[in-house]
Amino acid sequence: MASINLLPTALLPNPSVLKLSKLLKTLVTLFLVLFVIVAAGVSGYFLINSYTLDASLKNQEALKKSVQSLEQTEQRLFLVKDRVAKVKEIYANPSVKPDVEALSKILTVIPTDASLTEADMDKNSLDTTFMVNNSLSLTQLMANLITQNTYSRVDLLSFSFNPKLGYIVSLSFINQ
Amino acid sequence: MKESFSSLISPDLRVIATPLGILVALAILSFISYRIAYSKISTQREEVAVAKETEKVLSDKQKVLTQVDANIGSYVNSVAASVPEKNPVLMMISQLKSLAGTRSITINNLKGGSEVNSQESIPVVALDFEVGGSLDSVLDFLKSFETVAPLSTIDQLKIAQSAGNAQTEVSLKLYFSPFPQKFPALTEPITELTADEKELLAKLQQLKLPSFVNLAPQTPSLRTTPFD
């Protein structure tokens, strides 16, 4: 038997609207399923991160205890590094020590009848005064000093002769 | 009333209203949830990153400290004597006398000991003195300063020699620095000693340290003649 619809056609919804309504219901279902899946995923990610954070914090506590037990070592290491930095600064300071070494070398090349009477050292130069008995030794002394190659410049400050003492020569050794 | 209201709504609207309404509500809920979740997850990720970084710092620090634990004690005395905490004049005078004693050198007119104004970042103390002896002994004595602690630099020298005897005026600079008062925080990273630093420390360990004598208190003794 054929079905009879006694409702007036004006009260029925438009077929296209009915199609749209079905589409919307499908979209709602899909959206809901997607929402639930994404929410589950995000919650899972959140839980994993929480677990990782907790584990990391527990590990930190254990490491902190271990580091605290080595507190004395840490303080010693810090002190040693502090002092080493200061020592580097001190060693970088200019000193006349190289001049003392140079003077020791100079003394090894002085002829036997010449002697060093004065030496004045500061950071900039080494000023020396030699007394030499004769001109031959003087020539030898000057030649030996010039071939030293320890200083970049040797200046003659004064040159005099005393009949009793001999030649008195003042030289300044400069490193530029 | 309800029937009259529903009779005002067209059949098309009635059919579409419910799914559309649910869809809009879902969209709004998703948007709000997204905002909340994004904010919480971002904060949590930052916390995890910070926690992992702190964990790495602590782990590295523990490794370094465990490595240096065996040797660090042997370095402390040398560095503390090389650049002492307080004015090192008395220590240096003791060292000078010890060095002079082995070289037949006399030391006179010791002057100074107070801190001088200098351009340097480390406090400096000046010590002036005169040295007498043969020139070779005096030069050897001056070279020996670099073998003892505390560290010093010769600022100025004046040598006058006659008849084999050299009189030398020496200006010495001594250095000291108060020990650090503030130590790094527990979670601050620390690096181990570099090769350069180890080489320098080996050099400092060769320095002759000032010798200190601990005087024990005298024990009471019986006086055999108390009125004498």
Side-chain angles (χ1 to χ4, degrees):
Chain A
M1 196 171 167
S3 59
I4 300 166
N5 191 354
L6 297 172
L7 273 174
T9 51
L11 291 176
L12 287 174
N14 211 314
S16 59
V17 173
L18 275 172
K19 267 191 189 167
L20 184 61
S21 169
K22 260 192 185 167
L23 183 66
L24 283 173
K25 282 178 186 169
T26 312
L27 276 174
V28 163
T29 311
L30 276 172
F31 207 158
L32 205 58
V33 166
L34 197 65
F35 182 82
V36 167
I37 291 170
V38 169
V42 166
S43 304
Y45 182 70
F46 192 81
L47 281 170
I48 289 169
N49 268 353
S50 292
Y51 175 76
T52 308
L53 185 62
D54 276 343
S56 180
L57 289 171
K58 275 190 189 143
N59 216 10
Q60 267 184 48
E61 286 309 306
L63 285 168
K64 276 181 186 173
K65 275 192 186 144
S66 175
V67 168
Q68 267 168 345
S69 71
L70 294 163
E71 192 183 9
Q72 198 181 47
T73 306
E74 188 186 0
Q75 287 174 355
R76 284 175 174 176
L77 181 58
F78 190 71
L79 173 66
V80 165
K81 279 180 171 274
D82 174 75
R83 295 292 111 169
V84 163
K86 304 252 179 321
V87 168
K88 282 182 183 172
E89 278 183 55
I90 291 169
Y91 279 158
N93 280 342
S95 163
V96 302
K97 185 192 158 278
D99 292 322
V100 174
E101 304 272 359
L103 187 62
S104 296
K105 276 190 196 167
I106 287 169
L107 291 176
T108 61
V109 302
I110 295 177
T112 45
D113 51 0
S115 63
L116 175 80
T117 56
E118 278 175 29
D120 200 336
M121 291 176 227
D122 61 27
K123 285 164 233 177
N124 301 319
S125 63
L126 163 62
D127 295 344
T128 54
T129 304
F130 297 92
M131 199 160 65
V132 191
N133 283 344
N134 58 70
S135 58
L136 191 64
S137 298
L138 177 65
T139 315
Q140 203 180 342
L141 171 70
M142 300 297 266
N144 290 347
L145 290 175
I146 288 161
T147 54
Q148 276 281 291
N149 291 328
T150 312
Y151 289 90
S152 57
R153 206 173 90 203
V154 181
D155 290 347
L156 177 67
L157 297 177
S158 70
F159 184 90
S160 59
F161 176 73
N162 183 307
K164 287 184 184 171
L165 299 170
Y167 296 95
I168 300 165
V169 181
S170 291
L171 297 166
S172 180
F173 299 85
I174 298 161
N175 248 336
Q176 285 171 331
Chain B
M1 183 73 170
K2 200 177 169 184
E3 278 176 11
S4 62
F5 179 74
S6 59
S7 66
L8 288 172
I9 305 168
S10 76
D12 289 345
L13 199 60
R14 248 185 284 153
V15 159
I16 213 163
T18 309
L20 191 63
I22 295 171
L23 195 63
V24 167
L26 262 177
I28 292 168
L29 181 67
S30 300
F31 178 72
I32 294 168
S33 305
Y34 164 76
R35 289 288 297 267
I36 295 169
Y38 181 79
S39 154
K40 281 199 181 296
I41 285 174
S42 295
T43 311
Q44 196 188 48
R45 281 182 66 172
E46 267 172 35
E47 283 173 10
V48 168
V50 166
K52 281 195 176 292
E53 181 61 37
T54 308
E55 198 184 331
K56 187 177 180 313
V57 163
L58 286 170
S59 173
D60 290 343
K61 195 168 183 173
Q62 189 209 32
K63 276 185 204 150
V64 167
L65 291 177
T66 311
Q67 261 175 357
V68 302
D69 191 36
N71 294 329
I72 201 71
S74 64
Y75 294 140
V76 169
N77 282 344
S78 312
V79 297
S82 301
V83 186
E85 185 190 9
K86 293 183 182 167
N87 192 325
V89 162
L90 291 177
M91 278 201 276
M92 194 62 191
I93 290 173
S94 133
Q95 293 285 52
L96 291 175
K97 289 189 173 177
S98 165
L99 291 170
T102 57
R103 289 168 176 83
S104 310
I105 296 245
T106 55
I107 301 180
N108 305 302
N109 291 338
L110 280 155
K111 274 184 273 181
S114 48
E115 198 177 327
V116 296
N117 287 331
S118 77
Q119 306 287 332
E120 288 148 77
S121 56
I122 308 172
V124 172
V125 172
L127 180 64
D128 299 336
F129 54 94
E130 288 173 10
V131 177
S134 69
L135 185 58
D136 285 338
S137 302
V138 166
L139 291 176
D140 187 50
F141 171 70
L142 295 170
K143 281 190 249 178
S144 70
F145 290 178
E146 64 175 3
T147 63
V148 302
L151 294 179
S152 59
T153 49
I154 304 174
D155 204 29
Q156 208 173 13
L157 265 183
K158 277 187 186 163
I159 303 175
Q161 187 185 213
S162 91
N165 188 39
Q167 284 298 320
T168 309
E169 292 171 21
V170 185
S171 287
L172 209 58
K173 266 192 196 168
L174 306 173
Y175 304 90
F176 69 100
S177 177
F179 287 161
Q181 296 299 310
K182 235 181 155 188
F183 285 98
L186 189 66
T187 51
E188 219 171 287
I190 200 165
T191 53
E192 57 176 313
L193 297 166
T194 61
D196 271 349
E197 286 173 338
K198 285 182 187 170
E199 204 180 304
L200 189 55
L201 284 167
K203 197 173 158 185
L204 293 178
Q205 280 187 307
Q206 302 300 315
L207 298 177
K208 188 185 159 215
L209 304 185
S211 51
F212 295 102
V213 173
N214 280 329
L215 292 171
Q218 243 182 344
T219 53
S221 59
L222 211 62
R223 285 186 73 179
T224 49
T225 51
F227 301 107
D228 189 7

